[in-house]
Amino acid sequence: MKIRVLGSAAGGGFPQWNWYCADCRGVRAGKASLQRRTQSSIAVSADGDRWTLVNASPDILQQFQHFAGTWPTEGLRGCGIESVVLVDAQIDHTTGLYMLREKGSPWPIWSTDPVFEDLTRGNPILHLLEHYCGVARQPIPLDGRSFHPQGAARLNWRAMPLLSAAPPYSPHRGNPVPGDNIGLTIIDPASGRRVFYAPGLAEVDDAVFDAMRSADCVMVDGTFWTDDEMISLGLSKKRARDIGHLAQSGPGGMIEQLARLPRHVRRVLIHINNTNPILDDSSAERTALTAAGIEVAFDGMEITL
Ligand code: MLT
Ligand code: MN
């Protein structure tokens, strides 16, 4: 199985258009220890040829330009991506659907019921797409049954509900329901190898830890370094966990959770916010991650399992 990181940043990307923080200034100025990152998305394939997109980023066109796996290979038009799986209904995971509207047939779009509701009510993008390519709605089961999205259909995909948060526009933003956010376990039945992917994860409960422990590679929420990151910058009154993200540092944080995993499990942080000091390869925080055996995903990263 192959996983291609199309976008490794959280909503806003890095640098974020309206930010003047030291790291955003540094990356604009070309500082060598910083690299640009687009918004959250991965592509998954069983054979390196046919792909399933997981999350449709606002930066999708730029991401596709940089990834030959998406390019048409025959006829007048086509795409290496055959379907889209959504882990939530957040803007940074769904806005790219608008950019896929030129497809000649309905897009198979896999989502849970709450995500489908948000994308047909609070943000009715799936209705809008009916005026273009159309949507072939595919339900993601939450009971652990495997599903097989077009593209990487040979793999066994399983979803689990996560404690995180619905988008701000959702009618159930303050009142989470199972399926607002999911973690994905993707298993290659040929090799038994598996990846666990959860870019928005507020709590590692027993079920989540079990899924992480059984994986060969985890790609998990790397949004914030500290729980009060946005508060201490004066940007928000909300803690990381209030908006659905477990911070890396501190008691019970992601670093501690990842330290509980068996040694052979590859640990990758993804969905990094522009406020997170780990964006700078030369920061003390990044050095601490490296010492703990934790990698930070970057745009273009490829993982083969
Ligand atoms: C989140 O996951 O909380 C989002 O990145 C927020 C956003 O897209 O604005
Ligand atoms: Mn996000």
Side-chain angles (χ1 to χ4, degrees):
M1 142 169 55
K2 275 190 192 302
I3 300 143
R4 168 86 177 203
V5 176
L6 300 181
S8 54
F14 179 67
Q16 186 173 309
W17 64 279
N18 60 346
W19 270 71
Y20 194 59
C21 63
D23 281 349
C24 290
R25 277 182 280 147
V27 75
R28 287 186 194 110
K31 187 177 171 188
S33 58
L34 292 161
Q35 55 180 295
R36 290 174 184 273
R37 285 176 159 82
T38 60
Q39 295 167 80
S40 188
S41 175
I42 62 170
V44 179
S45 177
D47 53 12
D49 214 18
R50 304 175 59 183
W51 295 82
T52 302
L53 184 71
V54 187
N55 300 323
S57 160
D59 304 318
I60 197 165
L61 296 183
Q62 184 187 341
Q63 294 171 346
F64 279 18
Q65 303 289 358
H66 287 101
F67 177 37
T70 67
W71 300 351
T73 49
E74 58 184 358
L76 262 187
R77 59 182 178 183
C79 181
I81 304 272
E82 296 182 23
S83 68
V84 185
V85 172
L86 302 173
V87 301
D88 59 36
Q90 295 271 6
I91 298 279
D92 60 341
H93 286 157
T94 58
T95 311
L97 293 174
Y98 283 118
M99 277 70 217
L100 300 182
R101 67 190 176 285
E102 294 94 349
K103 185 172 165 65
S105 56
W107 267 110
I109 298 181
W110 294 78
S111 72
T112 63
D113 290 343
V115 166
F116 182 77
E117 279 163 27
D118 280 345
L119 296 178
T120 47
R121 292 201 307 216
N123 174 17
I125 182 167
L126 299 183
H127 286 325
L128 256 94
L129 285 176
E130 292 300 342
H131 298 276
Y132 300 88
C133 55
V135 170
R137 203 255 150 146
Q138 313 283 329
I140 295 181
L142 280 178
D143 58 7
R145 263 180 303 138
S146 292
F147 62 102
H148 298 275
Q150 297 80 350
R154 190 175 68 68
L155 306 176
N156 293 331
W157 295 61
R158 292 182 196 154
M160 66 187 307
L162 297 179
L163 206 72
S164 188
Y169 70 77
S170 168
H172 36 91
R173 166 72 163 180
N175 174 26
V177 299
D180 279 338
N181 303 82
I182 55 171
L184 292 171
T185 296
I186 310 165
I187 306 162
D188 188 333
S191 64
R193 310 265 287 163
R194 54 173 77 194
V195 63
F196 177 74
Y197 172 66
L201 178 58
E203 196 183 304
V204 179
D205 61 16
D206 290 348
V208 171
F209 188 72
D210 222 44
M212 289 168 68
R213 189 182 52 184
S214 323
D216 297 283
C217 175
V218 298
M219 303 177 78
V220 289
D221 195 328
T223 313
F224 297 114
W225 178 255
T226 50
D227 192 44
D228 67 352
E229 199 156 306
M230 301 293 273
I231 300 173
S232 61
L233 289 165
L235 293 168
S236 168
K237 293 194 168 56
K238 296 210 163 117
R239 310 187 81 84
R241 72 173 84 97
D242 299 329
I243 58 168
H245 301 291
L246 176 67
Q248 283 107 62
S249 64
M254 192 61 90
I255 295 174
E256 284 191 14
Q257 301 297 341
L258 294 175
R260 298 163 58 211
L261 293 173
R263 285 178 73 90
H264 69 271
V265 180
R266 185 168 175 187
R267 301 127 211 253
V268 181
L269 295 176
I270 195 159
H271 189 275
I272 322 296
N273 198 50
N274 65 301
T275 51
N276 192 329
I278 65 172
L279 286 167
D280 191 331
D281 298 346
S282 63
S283 65
E285 292 83 355
R286 174 57 91 70
T287 307
L289 287 185
T290 306
I294 301 170
E295 301 170 63
V296 178
F298 53 89
D299 291 18
M301 183 184 204
E302 264 187 2
I303 294 177
T304 304
L305 290 175

